[in-house]
Amino acid sequence: MPKRKDYISWDEYFMGVAVLSSMRSKDPSTQVGACIINADHKIVGVGYNGFPIGVNDDEVPWEREGAWLDTKYPYVCHAELNAILNAISSSLKGCSLYVGLFPCNECAKAIIQSGIREVVYLSDKYAEAENTKASKWMFDQTGVTYRKLEPAHSSILVQMQ
């Protein structure tokens, strides 16, 4: 019997892990997940957007607008940073990061500092935002490559058996 031909690519697999991770986010408006892999195609870090460990997510605001301290922004930890902080490896040098949304400038700094060399993303819906432009500028300056994933499969079904 020949091997099956409709299996997912490495890119789809790791992005699938990132998307699945995003489903852990409690943010009512934006769920983002990230997955870091090394050169051997081994997952070394996973994260999603949420509040720091120990911060009660029932007591912190989830609002997007209003006075800064009354929004989620001063408290939320983005998926990319969580994946870096959750890494099981002491070095992320040369790794790739798969993420649902193109990284903001703060995450770009952490990506660069950690030694990650490639960012693969699904959406760049904030491409015109200044923080995204800053991310791309820093990536270009430091040689971090980035590319939008165009998956061959429009959806991946996960069945619980």
Side-chain angles (χ1 to χ4, degrees), residues 36-52:
I36 302 171
I37 65 151
N38 66 17
D40 294 325
H41 290 107
K42 304 246 190 285
I43 296 172
V44 295
V46 178
Y48 56 88
N49 59 312
F51 297 129

Side-chain angles (χ1 to χ4, degrees), residues 98-153:
Y98 288 78
V99 64
L101 186 60
F102 197 91
C104 73
N105 63 304
E106 293 299 322
C107 289
K109 290 185 266 187
I111 289 165
I112 293 163
Q113 289 297 93
S114 70
I116 292 171
R117 300 307 298 159
E118 178 187 38
V119 174
V120 183
Y121 62 93
L122 277 179
S123 172
D124 193 9
K125 70 179 181 178
Y126 300 114
E128 295 306 312
E130 289 185 355
N131 68 354
T132 303
K133 290 179 180 180
S135 297
K136 290 177 181 175
W137 186 86
M138 287 188 285
F139 287 158
D140 292 342
Q141 292 293 304
T142 59
V144 174
T145 62
Y146 49 93
R147 62 185 168 91
K148 180 176 173 60
L149 177 60
E150 303 291 349
H153 297 86

